[in-house]
């Protein structure tokens, strides 16, 4: 049986090289071996205040970037979360099978509610909507970055709970998370203790997939480094250089040890210069394809086809769960 893969990306700003290396690159890989569904999770983005026009445009741009990064809409299914009402409906049904205590323990909620002035109820129940996204499609595998590990554990817990209470209803999904040295957690360019985040207020902390070459050069030039001169992978003592090494390695395809040997202790200058060019080369084809996908109607048609397919896939699982809960058939 072909495996089902599901993942989602929020249209909460520009996509970063962290999103690409931690998640989207693996989407591209998995489409050749699994039945893949990739979703632009606009309902998740609404959990923090959004400018409506920016949210609208970012939703289409994330879908375009999926395709521009190499997801083939003939192979994988791409759609917008809010286009399929079953997500919000299943989310409510699962909320009634989730506990306040387990949601309160989510570290992303703790971080985001400490940072944001407005803490919506949606921000609190966010991980249940994510569980609904995944469980609706009887998903086997969920490719995500390391920051989503706890949310995936919760999705598994909810699935196991529902199955034991009501009988087999949902497949229990497996995480697909790369180790840090393979992009699972790309760090901020200004603070290597924090993950690179597209919702950061400081654009110097991330490389956006649509950053033009001179912006990439500037951001890499100003990226913080560690003391010393040696280009060496050491997550504990050289967090900044280790992060740049991971980006270099994943963008160039060269193993980290080879890059360490190449630069040795000759200082960080040449290493950073070369890194900027390697990132630019990686982004160039993505940016070119993105331009083509901006023609009116192109992405809309792909999203319409995606929606049609997933609506049909979601319906039997939702109907089955409704029935098991005792809701009268419609
Ligand atoms: P924000 O940074 O605004 O909190 P996000 O980028 O974490 O948002 P998503 O857009 O939904 O949120 O993330 C899409 C995917 O990219 C997820 O699988 C997430 O784990 C992964 N991801 C996000 N940031 C990184 C990072 N710095 N390193 C590796 N993977 C990441
Ligand atoms: N919470 C995720 C985005 C997300 C997701 C999903 C990922 C929403 N639904 C389902 C995988 C599967 C995030 O912020 N990165």
């Amino acid at each position: 049986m072909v495996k089902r893969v599901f993942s989602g990306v929020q249209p909460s700003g520009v996509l970063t090289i962290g999103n690409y290396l931690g998640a989207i690159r693996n989407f591209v890989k998995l489409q050749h071996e699994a039945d893949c569904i990739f979703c632009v999770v606009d309902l998740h983005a609404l959990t923090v205040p959004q400018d409506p026009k920016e949210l609208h445009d970012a939703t289409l741009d994330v879908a375009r970037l999926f395709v521009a990064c190499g997801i083939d809409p003939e192979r994988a299914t791409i759609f917008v979360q809010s286009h399929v009402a079953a997500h919000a409906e299943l989310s409510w049904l699962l909320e009634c099978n989730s506990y306040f205590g387990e949601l309160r323990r989510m570290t992303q909620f703790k971080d985001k509610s400490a940072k944001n002035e407005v803490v919506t109820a949606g921000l609190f129940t966010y991980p249940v909507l994510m569980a609904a996204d995944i469980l609706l499609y009887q998903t086997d595998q969920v490719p995500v970055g390391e920051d989503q590990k706890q949310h995936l554990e919760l999705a598994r817990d909810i699935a196991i709970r529902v199955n034991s209470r009501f009988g087999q209803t949902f497949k229990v999904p497996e995480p697909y998370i790369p180790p840090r040295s393979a992009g699972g957690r790309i760090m901020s360019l200004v603070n290597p203790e924090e993950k690179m985040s597209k919702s950061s207020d400081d654009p110097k902390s991330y490389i956006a997939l649509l950053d033009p070459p001179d912006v990439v050069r500037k951001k890499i030039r100003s990226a913080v480094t560690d003391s010393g001169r040696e280009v060496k992978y050491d997550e504990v003592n050289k967090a900044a250089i280790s992060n740049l090494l991971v980006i270099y390695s994943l963008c160039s395809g060269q193993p980290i040890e080879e890059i360490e040997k190449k630069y040795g202790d000759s200082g960080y200058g040449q290493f950073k210069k070369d890194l900027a060019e390697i990132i630019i080369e990686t982004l160039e084809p993505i940016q070119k394809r993105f331009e083509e996908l901006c023609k009116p109607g192109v992405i809309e048609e792909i999203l319409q086809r995606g929606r049609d397919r997933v609506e049909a896939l979601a319906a039997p699982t939702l109907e089955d769960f409704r029935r098991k809960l005792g809701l009268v058939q419609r």
Side-chain angles (χ1 to χ4, degrees):
M1 262 277 275
V2 179
K3 281 196 175 155
R4 165 82 34 84
V5 164
F6 183 98
S7 197
V9 174
Q10 297 185 70
S12 51
V14 286
L15 291 193
T16 70
I17 200 154
N19 297 127
Y20 178 66
L21 299 176
I24 300 171
R25 212 171 46 102
N26 287 327
F27 299 177
V28 176
K29 219 185 298 169
L30 285 165
Q31 70 180 336
H32 298 287
E33 54 195 71
D35 174 9
C36 289
I37 305 176
F38 301 120
C39 181
V40 186
V41 289
D42 52 349
L43 298 176
H44 276 103
L46 288 176
T47 56
V48 295
Q50 299 287 345
D51 174 84
K53 165 126 185 34
E54 278 174 23
L55 176 68
H56 176 274
D57 295 350
T59 301
L60 297 175
D61 280 354
V62 169
R64 290 183 181 112
L65 279 168
F66 277 172
V67 181
C69 286
I71 295 169
D72 175 359
E74 301 299 323
R75 239 175 220 288
T77 305
I78 301 173
F79 77 105
V80 175
Q81 186 186 34
S82 67
H83 289 181
V84 180
H87 289 250
E89 184 175 349
L90 180 60
S91 184
W92 175 257
L93 303 179
L94 295 179
E95 272 176 48
C96 297
N97 286 276
S98 307
Y99 303 124
F100 184 79
E102 64 188 350
L103 295 185
R104 198 174 41 189
R105 283 196 293 276
M106 294 291 119
T107 55
Q108 185 176 299
F109 173 72
K110 287 196 255 185
D111 292 349
K112 291 207 173 175
S113 58
K115 264 189 218 152
N116 287 316
E117 261 165 52
V118 186
V119 181
T120 63
L123 191 64
F124 187 66
T125 55
Y126 173 116
V128 186
L129 177 59
M130 175 163 162
D133 297 341
I134 297 166
L135 302 183
L136 200 46
Y137 299 102
Q138 305 292 343
T139 300
D140 294 288
Q141 248 180 355
V142 186
V144 280
E146 191 187 283
D147 60 309
Q148 294 304 309
K149 195 167 174 215
Q150 195 186 28
H151 288 162
L152 261 173
E153 291 289 329
L154 180 80
R156 288 170 55 87
D157 289 347
I158 295 174
I160 292 166
R161 181 179 307 148
V162 167
N163 290 344
S164 76
R165 229 177 244 171
F166 300 99
Q168 182 61 38
T169 309
F170 301 120
K171 191 162 277 172
V172 181
E174 297 291 336
Y176 183 102
I177 301 175
R180 285 197 182 188
S181 59
R185 189 170 173 85
I186 299 292
M187 309 309 279
S188 151
L189 300 178
V190 299
N191 178 4
E193 305 300 319
E194 273 180 13
K195 86 160 185 140
M196 184 181 284
S197 171
K198 63 168 131 79
S199 55
S200 161
D201 295 331
D202 183 0
K204 283 204 300 300
S205 69
Y206 57 76
I207 302 280
L209 294 184
L210 296 177
D211 276 346
D214 47 329
V215 173
V216 174
R217 287 190 191 102
K218 233 186 256 162
K219 287 182 177 177
I220 293 296
R221 208 181 309 131
S222 69
V224 300
T225 47
D226 311 288
S227 55
R229 325 174 29 86
E230 203 185 355
V231 175
K232 191 170 165 26
Y233 189 84
D234 178 347
E235 269 176 28
V236 180
N237 301 306
K238 280 183 167 269
I241 286 296
S242 300
N243 186 43
L244 298 182
L245 261 170
V246 169
I247 299 174
Y248 191 125
S249 167
L250 294 174
C251 289
S252 67
Q254 294 170 46
I256 288 178
E257 309 81 68
E258 242 173 58
I259 307 164
E260 287 174 336
K261 262 192 226 143
K262 183 168 174 191
Y263 295 97
D265 57 3
S266 61
Y268 302 137
Q270 190 61 43
F271 168 68
K272 276 177 139 192
K273 249 192 207 148
D274 294 349
L275 171 60
E277 296 313 310
I278 281 164
I279 294 173
I280 291 165
E281 262 173 50
T282 304
L283 298 186
E284 193 189 56
I286 296 174
Q287 296 178 353
K288 231 189 227 152
R289 277 189 296 235
F290 179 84
E291 281 304 311
E292 290 157 19
L293 290 157
C294 287
K295 287 186 197 131
V298 176
I299 200 67
E300 288 83 352
E301 192 266 333
I302 291 171
L303 293 173
Q304 179 61 47
R305 267 194 288 142
R307 176 196 169 175
D308 292 344
R309 168 156 193 254
V310 299
E311 270 199 326
L313 290 177
T317 295
L318 182 60
E319 277 315 307
D320 176 47
F321 189 38
R322 283 175 52 100
R323 194 180 45 78
K324 284 177 170 145
L325 286 167
L327 302 177
V328 174
Q329 277 196 295
R330 36 192 171 186

